[in-house]
Amino acid sequence: MINVLKRPFSSTSSVMAAVKSYDYLVIGGGSGGISSARRAAEFGVNAAVIEHSRLGGTCVNVGCVPKKVMFMAAMQSEMLHDSKDYGFDIEKKGFNWRYEVTHPKSLVNLLQGA
């Protein structure tokens, strides 16, 4: 089992009273940190991940994943533009920018298990 600790750094008694003991402590809930804690848990290790923000790290939340979704939309647009050169007769009816902005966010939520 993996525990995720999301607490502000503080020395108040309410935070200190919740301190537990773990066999394996991972600092950072990015892809590597989560993978490391999961692998340790597979071997029966009591693992915890400390993350001050959203799980997934920079890549999942604001970097690689959202960028790849936007890049793929641009590639699809280019392919549609070039499709007539390959014998296709495709009618483009527009582009839904609102969907393109919200779609990466929904994928990030899916990856985070939300």
Side-chain angles (χ1 to χ4, degrees), residues 6-85:
K6 287 187 170 188
R7 300 204 174 145
F9 293 106
S10 171
S11 61
T12 63
S13 59
S14 63
V15 172
M16 296 306 286
V19 173
K20 296 182 180 181
S21 177
Y22 297 97
D23 300 320
Y24 187 63
L25 188 62
V26 178
I27 300 174
S31 301
I34 293 170
S35 296
S36 178
R38 282 186 178 153
R39 185 72 171 143
E42 288 176 7
F43 289 99
V45 173
N46 187 13
V49 175
I50 297 175
E51 175 58 56
H52 77 285
S53 187
R54 298 176 297 172
L55 288 178
T58 300
C59 181
V60 168
N61 294 310
V62 295
C64 309
V65 173
K67 184 243 355 159
K68 286 177 183 173
V69 173
M70 293 288 214
F71 178 79
M72 288 304 296
M75 291 294 295
Q76 294 298 320
S77 177
E78 187 68 19
M79 289 173 72
L80 287 171
H81 176 75
D82 293 342
S83 65
K84 65 180 178 239
D85 295 339

